[in-house]
Amino acid sequence: MSAEQIVVAGAGLAGLRTVEELRAAGYQGTLTLIGAENRPPYDRPPLSKQLMAGTVDDTSLRPELDSLDVTLRLGERAAGLDDGVLHTDGEDYSFDHLVIATGARPVALPGPGRQRFLRTADDALELRAKLRPGTRLVIIGAGWIGAELATAAAARSCQVTVVEAAATPLAGALGTEIGAATIPWYEEADIELRLGTAVESVEEGGLRLAGGDWLPADEIVTAVGVRPDVGWLAASPVRIENGVAVDEYLRSSVPGVCAVGDCAAFWSRRFGRRLRTEHWDGALRAPAVLAANLTGGSERYDPVPYFWSEQFGRMVQYVGHHAGASELIWRGDPASPKWAACWLAGDRLLAVLTVDLPKDLMQGRRLIESGAQVDAGKLGDQAVPLRAAAC
Ligand SMILES: Cc1cc2nc3c(=O)[nH]c(=O)nc-3n(C[C@H](O)[C@H](O)[C@H](O)COP(=O)(O)OP(=O)(O)OC[C@H]3O[C@@H](n4cnc5c(N)ncnc54)[C@H](O)[C@@H]3O)c2cc1C
């Protein structure tokens, strides 16, 4: 009998962790890891932080792939799927199990001008070389990546303008009430923040704004979000619902095909909805569950999602999922250096955002995990430890 074959499409964090966890779980069949980029797996969070600041050049995860007995195929792109066979732009691979870990890719805006993105190591290295003192950098989008890049570019003495269509930064991720609390951070860093400003098109040398205004730029970075990189599955029977739709066990609609990381939209029993997170922590942890399931186990993947961002000298952390919240409770004054916010549905804590309050983050995570009833009055009192809000 020939050895079992597992093929992993996508050699980012989720793909790498999958092969590591499979071997750790005792999988002894063949393993093939296929990545579209010409680099071995690397970490993305430092690209907009330490790499952009110039303190590191290489964020490689330095995988011990030799010791894992993995065939690594770089510069090869998965292109389609048939019964038990993955097609790439190079070869075809038979599989018993296919793990889809192709991540996400940035959304582009209309227009003929050059727009840069910040997703890959190549993007980051090329962009960093352009960030010289006085460079007029225009960032489209005041989301997580936009804020981190603005922080780094301002520190490199660029002239930074951030253009945002919504009324506040982070409006899509956290809502305008929280987003408004971050507006002063841009002012402090001497960054021009143009809110409620939609971009009509990206042109050579600048942006045409809705309404006709012209915003000149030496470099333009579009940071308006990402979409799951699953276009290559369009002709396959794999069900797509804002990413590869997977169940609690990370299985897709096609037997033998699973998905993890930014491209996977998993069913969360905890939150009663399908979730697709774009969080490093998910790409790190989901593969252990998947590996257990591919080696005979039956584990549910149902995390309390966690994300962090380092912006304007602050550590911003978020845990949970606040869709469906009925109340937002401030914990501390958002004009002060350290504060938090809690989202509730009735008397249950759904999510916590903290600014330079790691203890609150940890305690909030435990409260959400436990599903305990909480006292809203205590949550809102910074003098009371968050864990003491449990009823
Ligand atoms: C600049 C930046 C900063 C970030 N900072 C934070 C942070 O501070 N905190 C946080 O929680 N998260 C952060 N993230 C998000 C985090 O990095 C992602 O959630 C994580 O990388 C997801 O891992 P992944 O393996 O699922 O996807 P990816 O990292 O996107 O890896 C997928 C890989 O698959 C490859 N691929 C795509 N299509 C194909 C194909 N058809 N065939 C083969 N290969 C393919 C891609 O080239 C890529 O290498 C950041 C992301 C970026 C870009």
Side-chain angles (χ1 to χ4, degrees):
M1 210 174 88
S2 62
E4 198 179 343
Q5 304 181 66
I6 297 184
V7 173
V8 181
L13 179 63
L16 171 65
R17 294 280 302 127
T18 298
V19 299
E20 285 176 342
E21 291 290 350
L22 278 166
R23 287 297 185 221
Y27 172 71
Q28 291 184 346
T30 67
L31 267 178
T32 308
L33 179 60
I34 299 166
E37 293 177 67
N38 268 314
R39 289 174 185 271
Y42 60 88
D43 228 0
R44 291 179 205 276
L47 299 181
S48 50
K49 306 174 183 71
Q50 294 86 345
L51 187 139
M52 210 46 68
T55 54
V56 300
D57 295 326
D58 178 9
T59 70
S60 167
L61 289 161
R62 309 202 184 287
E64 307 265 335
L65 290 174
D66 287 347
S67 65
L68 293 174
D69 191 18
V70 174
T71 304
L72 181 61
R73 305 301 301 256
L74 295 176
E76 203 168 315
R77 187 170 280 280
L81 200 59
D82 275 321
D83 205 12
V85 179
L86 175 76
H87 306 293
T88 74
D89 53 8
E91 280 181 39
D92 291 341
Y93 298 86
S94 300
F95 62 80
D96 297 295
H97 294 280
L98 171 68
V99 178
I100 300 172
T102 46
R105 63 164 64 194
V107 174
L109 289 176
R114 165 150 202 176
Q115 49 189 311
R116 295 178 179 276
F117 303 96
L118 182 43
R119 182 75 195 176
T120 67
D122 289 343
D123 292 342
L125 289 166
E126 283 173 27
L127 176 60
R128 188 179 69 181
K130 300 288 177 189
L131 301 184
R132 301 192 194 95
T135 299
R136 291 171 308 169
L137 173 71
V138 172
I139 301 167
I140 310 172
W144 301 114
I145 302 286
E148 293 194 349
L149 174 58
T151 303
R156 296 176 84 88
S157 302
C158 297
Q159 218 179 296
V160 185
T161 304
V162 178
V163 178
E164 168 58 56
T168 73
L170 294 170
L174 301 176
T176 51
E177 216 178 325
I178 301 280
T182 74
I183 293 174
W185 302 355
Y186 288 77
E187 287 160 10
E188 284 164 23
D190 212 13
I191 290 163
E192 188 187 359
L193 176 62
R194 296 178 67 158
L195 296 167
T197 305
V199 171
E200 193 173 283
S201 77
V202 180
E203 304 285 331
E204 277 318 317
L207 296 182
R208 178 72 55 208
L209 302 175
D213 280 0
W214 174 252
L215 180 61
D218 300 316
E219 297 295 335
I220 296 166
V221 178
T222 303
V224 297
V226 295
R227 297 285 176 271
D229 207 336
V230 293
W232 62 277
L233 290 162
S236 82
V238 173
R239 188 152 62 90
I240 304 293
E241 263 179 49
N242 177 30
V244 178
V246 292
D247 65 11
E248 295 170 294
Y249 304 93
L250 301 168
R251 299 175 301 205
S252 82
S253 59
V254 172
V257 178
C258 312
V260 277
D262 281 12
C263 70
F266 60 95
W267 179 257
S268 167
R269 183 179 286 216
R270 185 191 300 277
F271 292 100
R273 63 184 70 219
R274 194 170 283 294
L275 296 183
R276 189 180 66 77
T277 59
E278 293 159 6
H279 303 348
W280 184 89
D281 195 56
L284 182 82
R285 291 175 198 273
V289 174
L290 179 61
N293 292 341
L294 290 177
T295 51
S298 180
E299 284 187 21
R300 286 201 179 90
Y301 179 63
D302 198 5
V304 174
Y306 166 73
F307 179 86
W308 86 96
S309 170
E310 294 161 44
Q311 46 182 284
F312 308 107
R314 293 165 172 88
M315 174 60 92
V316 180
Q317 293 171 289
Y318 175 91
V319 67
H321 184 74
H322 67 266
S326 52
E327 201 179 348
L328 172 66
I329 293 180
W330 293 92
R331 191 169 156 77
D333 178 358
S336 68
K338 298 180 182 195
W339 53 273
C342 304
W343 285 265
L344 289 175
D347 57 7
R348 307 285 162 173
L349 186 60
L350 288 185
V352 176
L353 175 86
T354 62
V355 177
D356 284 330
L357 285 174
K359 253 193 208 161
D360 274 13
L361 193 281
M362 269 163 20
Q363 294 179 14
R365 180 180 220 156
R366 285 196 204 111
L367 283 179
I368 299 167
E369 274 166 359
S370 71
Q373 287 175 286
V374 290
D375 178 321
K378 288 183 182 161
L379 279 183
D381 184 351
Q382 238 186 356
V384 177
L386 202 64
R387 62 170 180 273
C391 295

